[in-house]
């Protein structure tokens, strides 16, 4: 059997990917905090990687948290360190994998309202989230791995039965699913740059008068899995690859679509002065919904990948239907 190593297999995307690759006939080795191979066991990691056909790394602390100094450091460390561990194992392997796909993020691009970003002409932004992505990819592409093709997966927001989608659907059901507006707020340093060459202003937050029209680039979980399969099979593709639908939305359209999907006719609009205390209570950050993320999948589109869920309405309906099936499934006693 061909072997696939999935790091970060305890997470929402990593777990789904491990199941999909196993269904494809791979012998899947999982690396993670709660998996058979632990990040604290470099010997086991080296043995798993040596002779593997595919390595995929989805490891990293969730950004769905408050950007305290401790969380900021761990968000960066968890990504850079796990990537370095895998790179060292691949470099030392007698039979290195043919392809290594490493998670990244579309948040690496700048906030824009006038044009989208592709891999070829995208403009890199600044500040904390961008610095995390830059350092993550810098570690990933460092060194010489002549026998291993490397692909950085710059993922947009993933729609599925994961934490981000569950939060958005809950807001819509509660009647709070109106557009979210940026605006002034007290200065803080949570979004300042990080790493050896921090970028952006030291004090924020940045304010953009988007009026709820900030762009929302997204991708359905099925297409994350489909795109990874596609990239594994296409030996000519490498480097950064945007994982996003070819039809991005904006915040107002997103919230309207979510309200329709859950049958809620009303949705209150919210401004930053309302979002800041609400996000503090939820222990997350307003940046996750206020930054304009406008990304197009240039590499995938040019290579001929066909999306299963290219349109937002279809993707949201598929998520809601899938959640309904899961909620009705019988629970097995442990």
């Amino acid at each position: 059997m061909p072997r696939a190593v999935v790091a970060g297999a305890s997470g929402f995307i990593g777990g789904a990917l491990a199941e999909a690759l196993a269904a494809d006939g791979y012998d899947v080795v999982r690396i993670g905090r709660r998996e058979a191979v632990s990040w604290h066991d470099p010997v086991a990691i080296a043995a798993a990687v040596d002779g593997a056909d595919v390595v995929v790394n989805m490891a990293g602390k969730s950004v769905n948290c408050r950007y305290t100094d401790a969380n900021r450091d761990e968000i960066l460390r968890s990504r850079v360190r796990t990537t370095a561990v895998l790179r060292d194992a691949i470099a030392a392997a007698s039979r290195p994998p043919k392809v290594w796909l490493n998670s990244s993020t579309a948040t690496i691009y700048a906030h824009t309202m006038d044009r989208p970003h592709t891999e070829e002409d995208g403009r890199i932004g600044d500040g904390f989230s961008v610095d995390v992505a830059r350092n993550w990819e810098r570690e990933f592409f460092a060194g010489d791995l002549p026998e291993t093709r490397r692909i950085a997966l710059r993922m947009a927001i993933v729609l599925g039965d994961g934490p981000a989608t569950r939060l958005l659907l809950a807001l819509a059901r509660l009647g709070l699913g109106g557009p979210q507006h940026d605006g002034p707020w007290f200065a803080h340093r949570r979004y300042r740059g990080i790493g050896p060459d921090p970028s952006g202003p030291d004090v924020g937050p940045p304010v953009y008068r988007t009026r709820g029209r900030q762009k929302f680039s997204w991708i359905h979980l099925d297409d994350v899995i489909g795109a990874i399969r596609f990239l594994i099979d296409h030996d000519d593709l490498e480097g950064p690859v945007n994982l996003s639908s070819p039809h991005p939305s904006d915040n107002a359209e997103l919230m309207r679509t979510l309200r329709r999907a859950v049958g809620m006719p009303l949705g209150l609009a919210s401004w930053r002065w309302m979002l800041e205390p609400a996000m503090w209570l939820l222990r997350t950050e307003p940046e996750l919904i206020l930054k304009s993320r406008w990304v197009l999948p240039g590499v995938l589109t040019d290579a001929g990948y066909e999306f299963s869920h290219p349109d937002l309405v279809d993707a949201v309906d598929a998520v809601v239907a899938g959640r309904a099936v899961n909620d009705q499934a019988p629970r097995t006693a442990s």
Side-chain angles (χ1 to χ4, degrees), residues 312-329:
L312 182 64
V313 171
D314 168 66
V316 170
D317 286 347
V319 170
V320 173
R323 283 178 54 80
V325 170
N326 291 337
D327 290 343
Q328 295 171 7

Side-chain angles (χ1 to χ4, degrees), residues 21 37 53 55-56 63 108 125 138 197 226 236 252-253 255 259 284 289 306 309 311 317-318:
L21 292 176
V37 178
D53 296 87
V55 173
V56 187
V63 296
I108 196 170
R138 179 185 299 157
D197 53 343
D236 57 326
E253 181 186 358
M255 302 312 296
R259 294 197 305 271
T284 189
I289 55 177
E306 295 184 7
H309 302 284
D311 298 311
D317 286 347

Side-chain angles (χ1 to χ4, degrees), residues 162-224:
T165 309
R166 288 198 294 267
L167 173 62
L168 290 169
L169 288 170
L171 291 174
R173 289 192 181 96
L174 292 171
L176 302 175
Q180 283 101 26
H181 299 254
D182 205 345
W185 185 249
F186 299 106
H188 61 71
R189 302 182 66 241
R190 299 196 307 274
Y191 299 163
R192 70 189 185 278
I194 195 171
D197 53 343
S199 66
D202 194 50
V203 177
V207 176
Y208 305 101
R209 301 290 185 176
T210 57
R211 302 182 183 276
R213 291 296 179 181
Q214 60 269 28
K215 295 296 183 178
F216 178 78
S217 287
W218 58 274
I219 185 170
H220 191 281
L221 178 61
D222 290 349
D223 280 312
V224 173

Side-chain angles (χ1 to χ4, degrees), residues 206-331:
V207 176
Y208 305 101
R209 301 290 185 176
T210 57
R211 302 182 183 276
R213 291 296 179 181
Q214 60 269 28
K215 295 296 183 178
F216 178 78
S217 287
W218 58 274
I219 185 170
H220 191 281
L221 178 61
D222 290 349
D223 280 312
V224 173
I225 306 301
I228 289 174
R229 285 169 165 155
F230 183 87
L231 292 166
I232 290 171
D233 292 339
H234 284 70
D235 295 338
D236 57 326
L237 300 180
E238 60 183 345
V241 176
N242 293 342
L243 265 58
S244 62
S245 164
H247 303 306
S249 175
D250 63 29
N251 178 261
E253 181 186 358
L254 166 70
M255 302 312 296
R256 184 166 57 249
T257 302
L258 293 171
R259 294 197 305 271
R260 182 200 57 79
V262 300
M264 172 57 68
L266 300 176
L268 296 177
S270 52
W271 284 258
R272 183 184 281 271
W273 63 268
M274 302 163 65
L275 289 169
E276 287 281 358
M279 293 301 184
W280 179 82
L281 290 172
L282 294 171
R283 308 313 298 163
T284 189
E285 289 288 344
E287 178 191 55
L288 300 178
I289 55 177
L290 291 177
K291 179 177 178 178
S292 183
R293 295 172 171 85
W294 195 358
V295 181
L296 293 177
V299 169
L300 287 175
T301 301
D302 292 345
Y305 177 73
E306 295 184 7
F307 285 80
S308 299
H309 302 284
D311 298 311
L312 182 64
V313 171
D314 168 66
V316 170
D317 286 347
V319 170
V320 173
R323 283 178 54 80
V325 170
N326 291 337
D327 290 343
Q328 295 171 7
R331 305 295 180 185

